[in-house]
Amino acid sequence: MSIDAAPRPDTAPTAAPAPREPRLPWIAGRAPARPAPGAAFHSVSAATAALLGLVAIGALIHEPVLIPPLAASAALVHCAPALPLAQPRSVIVGHLLGAAAGYAVAAVAAHGSAWAAALAAGVTLALTTLARTPHSPACATAVVIVLQAPAPGSFVPLLFGATVLLVLTAFAASRIRRAAPRYPAYWW
């Protein structure tokens, strides 16, 4: 009897297969893992509830222009609560700086100008960076002010109240679900 291959002992340990490399590793990226269905539902429903509340308040006082920037803020605080962009300091102060930049640029440039809106967004980005309150949706607040020209006497208090309400709803939502990450990571 001839043996072409060396006999394998039955006691040899089996090695685990090596993890499979993606065919195109540069496409695979480093995106975070998909959230669990319960966590995703909780974040999305909390953000939607907060936005519906803000829409109801805006409809009552006939001021619906807050929705675009606050929708982006709600997405940040509810879906990425640990990011510096989502912290209360950045949300509240960032939007107020965006409002200040929007009204300042609108005072110098023509209302409704896309050029002025872009400038206001850039100024907001600079101000939030200098103030250590990064919050990209605040740039949208500046754009809304330049393009829509809301009255500052009613818009700024409404903006302040809406951002505080958004932060408080994110705080409450993070306490409702046990496994949810705690919001905020820091207040100030």
Side-chain angles (χ1 to χ4, degrees):
M1 172 180 201
S2 81
I3 299 176
D4 293 330
R8 264 185 12 189
D10 291 333
T11 59
T14 59
R20 187 173 162 225
E21 291 290 324
R23 292 184 131 188
L24 302 172
W26 55 274
I27 289 179
R30 293 185 180 156
R34 189 171 282 128
F41 178 77
H42 175 75
S43 296
V44 170
S45 60
T48 303
L51 288 171
L52 288 172
L54 292 174
V55 167
I57 293 168
L60 284 173
I61 60 173
H62 308 291
E63 195 68 64
V65 297
L66 279 175
I67 295 309
L70 291 180
S73 294
L76 282 172
V77 299
H78 289 284
C79 295
L83 288 179
L85 296 164
Q87 301 314 306
R89 167 190 171 104
S90 293
V91 174
I92 297 167
V93 176
H95 279 290
L96 292 176
L97 288 172
Y103 284 117
V105 169
V108 176
H111 277 288
S113 164
W115 297 100
L119 178 62
V123 169
T124 300
L125 187 58
L127 290 174
T128 58
T129 300
L130 289 173
R132 296 183 356 207
T133 56
H135 192 66
S136 50
C139 296
T141 296
V143 169
V144 163
I145 289 170
V146 171
L147 296 179
Q148 299 292 321
S154 62
F155 184 81
V156 174
L158 177 63
L159 177 66
F160 176 73
T163 56
V164 169
L165 183 64
L166 191 61
V167 165
L168 292 177
T169 58
F171 173 79
S174 75
R175 294 332 189 248
I176 290 172
R177 185 170 174 268
R178 246 180 252 255
R182 292 291 185 234
Y183 177 80
Y186 55 89
W187 284 95
W188 195 255

